[in-house]
Structure formats: C-alpha cells, structure tokens
Amino acid sequence: WRGRLVERMLLPADSPCRVLDLAAGTLDVSIEIAGRHPKAFVAAADFCLPMLEKGRSKLTRGGRIAPVQADGRALPFRDSSFEAASIAFGIRNIRPRAEAYAELLRVLKPGGRLCVLEFGSGRQRILGGLYSLYLNRLLPMLGRVFSRDAGAYRYLADTIMEFPDARGLAGELSRAGFT
C-alpha cells in the first residue's frame, strides 16, 4: 500500500522535490518516498513525538528525511513549500479534518498533489457485514489477547467506521479547495 501511495504522488523522477508526509508516525511512508525518489527531501510531520523518535532509529546519517513534531491543523511550513503531500492512516484522527485540509492546501505548491491512504469504511454492500464483524468484534478481541489493550483497537474500529467513504472524502477535499 505504501508503494502504491508513493507511485500515485507522481513525483519527478530525476529532479529535486520537497514532500510532506503528514501523520508520519514511525516514518515508513517517508522512507518509502526517499527510497523511490533519491532527490526528494521529506518533511515527516507528526503530532506524536514518541512515534517520530521511534522512526528516527530507522534513518541513516545524512538522510533526506527530517522528522518534525507538528499539529496537522497548524503546520510550521511556509506557503507553497511542497510539490506533494501524503497522509497514510492518519487523516481520520485529525479533528476537525477541514483544518488539516486547509493547511495541506496552504503548504502545497499550486498544482501540488495530495495522496491519502486510509482504511475503508466497510460500507460496501457485499463485504460490509463481514468487515463490520471484523472491526467491531474480532479486532478488539485480538487486541485484548495480543496487546492487552482492547481499548486502542476499539478506538481504531470506531474511527474507521465513522470515517467517510471514498465519495464522502472526495466531497470533503473538494469543499476544502482541492480538485
């Protein structure tokens, strides 16, 4: 999934570019971007400093990835700073999302591309019931068994279920000014 996300960013192959990876967590997407695009500089922003610190241990010296603690609703970057931006499994955790969309639009250069990777809502007719059963019953049970923290997995299921489907997300982005 990370590879497909990075492919769809349509970054220039042989020229320098600046990319924002919002909700970068432990830097997996940032590392994928840097690995596929040797001339890209990646600002890896996340609200949670311990996650960034955990990800920092994956980086080599002299890298092109800069971890930055930042709130997605108030990014510490100048207007039109980035050719592209990504957010993987994080936009559903930012409230209100409209503030994050406004910030992403502000820091992207005109014509810049935003790529969002997120869990599906499970609202499709055929698979919806199975997905709902998995999210609401099986996932919290597995969380309780393996991590001893069913609450974290309950939160995950709740945020996935209340996240809009693809059409709803497209509407939110359109209202924010994205095309």
Side-chain angles (χ1 to χ4, degrees), residues 92-159:
R92 69 188 153 72
N93 295 315
I94 301 175
R95 306 282 170 82
R97 283 190 295 273
E99 291 180 15
Y101 299 148
E103 280 295 277
L104 285 161
L105 192 62
R106 178 185 68 77
V107 301
L108 280 170
K109 291 181 177 181
R113 189 171 180 94
L114 169 63
C115 291
V116 178
L117 176 62
E118 193 54 79
F119 292 105
S121 61
R123 294 189 186 118
Q124 294 81 8
R125 179 179 263 178
I126 295 173
L127 297 177
L130 292 174
Y131 192 56
S132 181
L133 176 69
Y134 169 74
L135 283 177
N136 294 307
R137 302 274 188 232
L138 192 57
L139 186 64
M141 182 179 72
L142 291 172
R144 191 170 35 257
V145 169
F146 291 105
S147 75
R148 310 272 189 250
D149 187 2
Y153 289 86
R154 174 82 259 144
Y155 169 80
L156 176 63
D158 289 346
T159 60

Side-chain angles (χ1 to χ4, degrees), residues 13-18 34 37-41 64:
D14 295 327
S15 59
C17 62
R18 294 175 47 90
H37 298 280
K39 294 186 177 182
F41 170 81
R64 296 166 288 106

